[in-house]
Amino acid sequence: MSLSSISIQRPVLAIVMSIIIIVFGVLGYTYLGIREFPSVDPPIITVSTSYVGANADVIESQITEPLEESVNGIAGIKSLTSSSRDGRSTITVEFDIDVDLEAAANDVRDRVSRSLSVLPPDIDMPIVAKADADATPIVFLNVQSDTRDLLQLTEIANNVFKERLQTINGVSSVQIWGEKKYAMRLWLDPAKLAAFQLSPVDVRNALNRENVELPSGRIEGDDTELSIRTIGRLQTEAEFDNLIVKEADGNIVRVKDIGYSQLGAENERTILRRDGVPMVGVVLISQAGANNIAIADEFYKRLEQIKKTLPPDIKTGIGFDITTFIRESIKEVEQTIIVAFALVVMIIFLFLRDWRTTIIPVLVIPISLIGAFFIMYVADFSINVLTLLGIVLAIGMVVDDAIIVLENIYTKIENKMDPVEAGKKGSAEIFFAVISTTIALAAVFMPVIFLQGITGRLFREFGIVVAGAVLISAFVALTLTPMLSSKILKRREKHNWFYNITEPFFVKLNETYQRQLKYFVANRRLAIPATIFAIILIYILFSTLPTELAPLEDRSRLSINVTAQEGATFEFMDRYIDEAVNILKEKIPEKEGLIYLTSTIGGADGSVKSGIVNVIL
């Protein structure tokens, strides 16, 4: 007994199987993340090493070159680039796209560990990080104040915003851009150091020796036990000024004798502004596979709660929100799905011209599409533009099997066969045709899995979604469609007015097709030149069309990078950036919400190296 016959005899079983597909699809949908494009981790490993106080030449010779020599021997490396600047070395290793990212990261870590013995002993431990497609900022919130400095804003950003936002489900980390941490700076006079026969190393050793807090044990008695704490950390400028650097022959040299202490920011080389006003930014980074839209929605809810408790001088604003583009892209594709579904239903009705025959294939479409979400969940995919485009394409394909089965059954009913018997015989006759067409369609899209490079990674989800939806549609067409046909379809002795009006057109259409088919069969030799012409035309059109990975998209953003001349100051760079912003304001039409984000990057000698202007419309 075939699957279709069982479904006809056991209609409840056929309905339950379709309901199970819907339930699993809905459950899978609730766990799917929402992204703009599929998550593709490029096989890129970055090795970052900090060496405070060293110039670029020392970084290059003592850190970058030894690490490059060690890492260069790993198999599968596509390119190896490095940058050495004051106090920091960065090596970027790009592997072939087919290389496993985890294995590549482990190989790089092993090579870096082998090189530690030849690196300077007082460097920070090298950090090996792999590129993560999800480790990109989702939302950028800027925090400003007219009365507070950046140090105080950083403290508020960390203690208020970061503490409340980092518990959002799906958030990997919360970063503070443009933050200024408190630090005690010791300004030393070279002449006084020479007079006391001291060097900056002596001051550093004195700090390491005196500015400590060590465990001191405990006091035990018969009835009590007390822990002892020796407070040895220096807190104020006066305490640092009175720090003893050297003591010899009864003479004491303190920090205030060779310089002075000043409480300030740890990093004074960079600054971030919005519309010319200094600020700090709170940035949300999502976890791999997280639902970015759900994260953004929860972020805005918590932001409204935080605003109620903020001091009146604190101002907040949204620098950017990438979920805006994700929402628009997903919304457009969803609209396309609705339009495609409506067009399919309309075309089916125009050709079948009966609501009973139209409702059966229409039921197959949502069941197959909803079931595709479960396949996406099992395959660890996400809801993105490409997977939804696969669903759009599948709308017209999943209905084919149901129409084939329906048409064969309806033909037998019109020939005065009992609907139940027509359902059994009609589905049995068309069973292998449905299976063969389904396998053929799935075979067309499944090879996308084996595509190499970024293109293969992106369109893998597209191909699997389409193939999975087609397979589900075949199952539904062989179970639910025969059962519904045996229950709903009836032979009509008299057709409706719409059928009678349109019947002459379809009769003429069939006759025209029959005449053309007979002519082409009689002149079979025309097939060869027609095929050759089509191949040549395809080649010409394919070679002349421009190629790109994805269409260009206007996201209303403009970035200007400015490199300063040698010896430029922050004041000079600020004036230069202000002039650039004024020119942009003249050229760009004023729009509501126009934002200018500027940042300035300084060098080790206190001069300005570069500036960046980001314009967000």
Side-chain angles (χ1 to χ4, degrees):
M1 185 177 292
S2 65
L3 183 62
S4 301
S5 300
I6 295 176
S7 301
I8 293 173
Q9 294 181 357
R10 299 288 187 271
V12 176
L13 176 63
I15 295 174
V16 169
M17 288 189 293
S18 297
I19 292 176
I20 290 175
I21 294 175
I22 294 175
V23 170
F24 276 91
V26 172
L27 290 177
Y29 175 83
T30 57
Y31 289 100
L32 289 175
I34 300 178
R35 298 173 48 88
E36 185 173 11
F37 293 104
S39 176
V40 179
D41 289 334
I44 297 176
I45 308 297
T46 303
V47 182
S48 304
T49 309
S50 297
Y51 192 12
V52 180
N55 59 29
D57 293 334
V58 174
I59 295 291
E60 174 71 21
S61 59
Q62 297 189 21
I63 298 178
T64 303
E65 290 182 355
L67 288 177
E68 278 186 336
E69 183 178 354
S70 178
V71 173
N72 195 32
I74 301 176
I77 293 180
K78 182 179 180 181
S79 65
L80 183 64
T81 58
S82 63
S83 65
S84 301
R85 61 182 186 272
D86 298 341
R88 192 169 185 83
S89 168
T90 303
I91 300 175
T92 302
V93 187
E94 182 180 0
F95 290 85
D96 295 331
I97 192 66
D98 298 326
V99 174
D100 182 73
L101 188 60
E102 293 293 339
N106 292 332
D107 292 339
V108 174
R109 291 190 187 97
D110 293 340
R111 294 302 181 99
V112 171
S113 300
R114 297 179 191 177
S115 304
L116 292 178
S117 59
V118 299
L119 300 180
D122 53 346
I123 66 170
D124 294 338
M125 185 64 65
I127 299 175
V128 179
K130 56 186 179 180
D132 186 1
D134 295 277
T136 56
I138 300 177
V139 181
F140 171 57
L141 171 72
N142 56 265
V143 183
Q144 298 176 344
S145 176
D146 297 331
T147 59
R148 303 173 191 261
D149 56 22
L150 293 179
L151 289 168
Q152 295 172 321
L153 287 179
T154 299
E155 189 174 2
I156 292 175
N158 279 288
N159 297 336
V160 178
F161 289 94
K162 185 175 181 179
E163 291 294 329
R164 296 285 298 275
L165 298 178
Q166 65 185 0
T167 57
I168 296 177
N169 186 28
V171 172
S172 173
S173 62
V174 177
Q175 299 179 357
I176 307 298
W177 287 1
E179 65 176 340
K180 301 292 183 181
K181 297 181 180 179
Y182 283 98
M184 190 66 70
R185 292 179 172 271
L186 301 184
W187 298 94
L188 305 179
D189 189 336
K192 293 181 179 180
L193 283 174
F196 287 105
Q197 298 181 350
L198 294 174
S199 67
V201 176
D202 297 323
V203 180
R204 185 191 66 177
N205 293 335
L207 284 171
N208 294 334
R209 182 179 62 251
E210 301 295 337
N211 188 27
V212 293
E213 185 171 341
L214 301 175
S216 302
R218 62 180 180 271
I219 298 176
E220 297 181 357
D222 294 336
D223 300 323
T224 60
E225 179 178 315
L226 303 176
S227 297
I228 301 175
R229 180 189 178 190
T230 56
I231 302 176
R233 288 286 185 182
L234 305 179
Q235 302 291 337
T236 64
E237 295 178 354
E239 292 177 350
F240 277 91
D241 287 335
N242 292 322
L243 174 66
I244 298 175
V245 179
K246 180 181 178 182
E247 183 177 3
D249 299 331
N251 296 321
I252 298 177
V253 180
R254 302 178 185 273
V255 171
K256 63 183 179 181
D257 298 326
I258 55 177
Y260 65 94
S261 303
Q262 183 182 32
L263 182 63
E266 179 182 3
N267 178 18
E268 294 182 348
R269 298 178 183 176
T270 62
I271 189 169
L272 184 65
R273 297 183 179 91
R274 171 170 174 166
D275 297 337
V277 180
M279 66 171 187
V280 296
V282 181
V283 181
L284 270 64
I285 309 296
S286 66
Q287 297 176 357
N291 190 329
N292 293 343
I293 293 181
I295 293 175
D297 292 339
E298 182 63 23
F299 163 78
Y300 286 112
K301 291 180 182 178
R302 298 196 182 188
L303 179 60
E304 293 300 322
Q305 297 175 358
I306 294 174
K307 286 182 179 179
K308 298 177 182 179
T309 61
L310 289 176
D313 61 299
I314 300 296
K315 301 177 182 178
T316 61
I318 302 299
F320 61 80
D321 181 0
I322 67 169
T323 62
T324 302
F325 307 105
I326 298 176
R327 294 175 194 271
E328 291 298 326
S329 300
I330 299 299
K331 182 179 179 181
E332 290 180 0
V333 178
E334 289 175 347
Q335 292 175 351
T336 304
I337 292 175
I338 296 173
V339 172
F341 181 80
L343 289 175
V344 169
V345 173
M346 183 180 67
I347 297 300
I348 292 174
F349 179 77
L350 288 177
F351 277 84
L352 298 180
R353 294 164 291 170
D354 184 22
W355 70 268
R356 288 179 177 270
T357 55
T358 302
I359 195 174
I360 296 175
V362 168
L363 291 176
V364 175
I365 297 176
I367 295 175
S368 302
L369 299 185
I370 294 174
F373 288 112
F374 181 70
I375 295 177
M376 294 165 57
Y377 169 73
V378 173
D380 196 22
F381 293 163
S382 62
I383 298 175
N384 53 68
V385 173
L386 291 179
T387 52
L388 290 182
L389 285 178
I391 291 178
V392 172
L393 179 62
I395 290 177
M397 302 175 66
V398 298
V399 76
D400 292 345
D401 294 334
I403 291 178
I404 293 173
V405 175
L406 173 67
E407 192 275 335
N408 198 43
I409 295 175
Y410 189 65
T411 300
K412 297 185 179 301
I413 293 177
E414 285 187 327
N415 293 331
K416 299 182 179 181
M417 185 178 290
D418 181 69
V420 175
E421 189 67 21
K424 294 180 180 180
K425 289 188 176 182
S427 58
E429 292 175 355
I430 210 71
F431 178 83
F432 287 104
V434 172
I435 296 297
S436 61
T437 54
T438 302
I439 295 176
L441 288 174
V444 171
F445 292 95
M446 291 303 289
V448 176
I449 301 174
F450 304 102
L451 285 178
Q452 303 299 318
I454 297 295
T455 304
R457 296 284 185 89
L458 287 174
F459 286 92
R460 181 176 301 171
E461 298 188 9
F462 171 82
I464 292 178
V465 168
V466 175
V470 171
L471 293 174
I472 294 175
S473 70
F475 176 79
V476 177
L478 295 175
T479 55
L480 186 64
T481 300
M483 186 276 293
L484 293 177
S485 299
S486 63
K487 301 297 182 182
I488 296 178
L489 297 184
K490 294 181 180 180
R491 182 177 178 274
R492 293 184 179 272
E493 299 293 339
K494 184 178 180 181
H495 297 286
N496 56 47
W497 64 270
F498 182 73
Y499 183 94
N500 296 328
I501 293 175
T502 56
E503 182 64 17
F505 169 77
F506 287 103
V507 171
K508 186 176 180 180
L509 183 65
N510 289 333
E511 293 175 352
T512 303
Y513 172 71
Q514 185 178 14
R515 288 195 304 268
Q516 293 178 353
L517 184 61
K518 289 181 179 179
Y519 175 80
F520 193 80
V521 171
N523 300 272
R524 292 187 294 271
R525 296 180 179 179
L526 295 176
I528 297 177
T531 304
I532 295 175
F533 175 77
I535 294 174
I536 294 174
L537 186 62
I538 291 172
Y539 174 78
I540 294 174
L541 295 176
F542 180 80
S543 59
T544 55
L545 289 174
T547 59
E548 58 184 355
L549 180 62
L552 295 177
E553 184 179 359
D554 184 8
R555 296 205 167 184
S556 302
R557 290 187 181 181
L558 176 64
S559 178
I560 301 176
N561 297 326
V562 181
T563 302
Q565 298 178 354
E566 184 177 358
T569 62
F570 274 95
E571 291 75 12
F572 173 80
M573 180 58 69
D574 289 341
R575 291 196 301 270
Y576 196 92
I577 289 178
D578 290 340
E579 292 178 2
V581 170
N582 291 331
I583 294 175
L584 289 173
K585 288 182 177 180
E586 295 176 358
K587 299 296 183 181
I588 300 176
E590 290 293 334
K591 295 183 179 181
E592 184 180 356
L594 191 64
I595 300 173
Y596 296 93
L597 300 177
T598 64
S599 60
T600 308
I601 303 175
D605 55 357
S607 63
V608 176
K609 300 298 183 182
S610 63
I612 301 175
V613 181
N614 291 311
V615 182
I616 303 175
L617 302 179

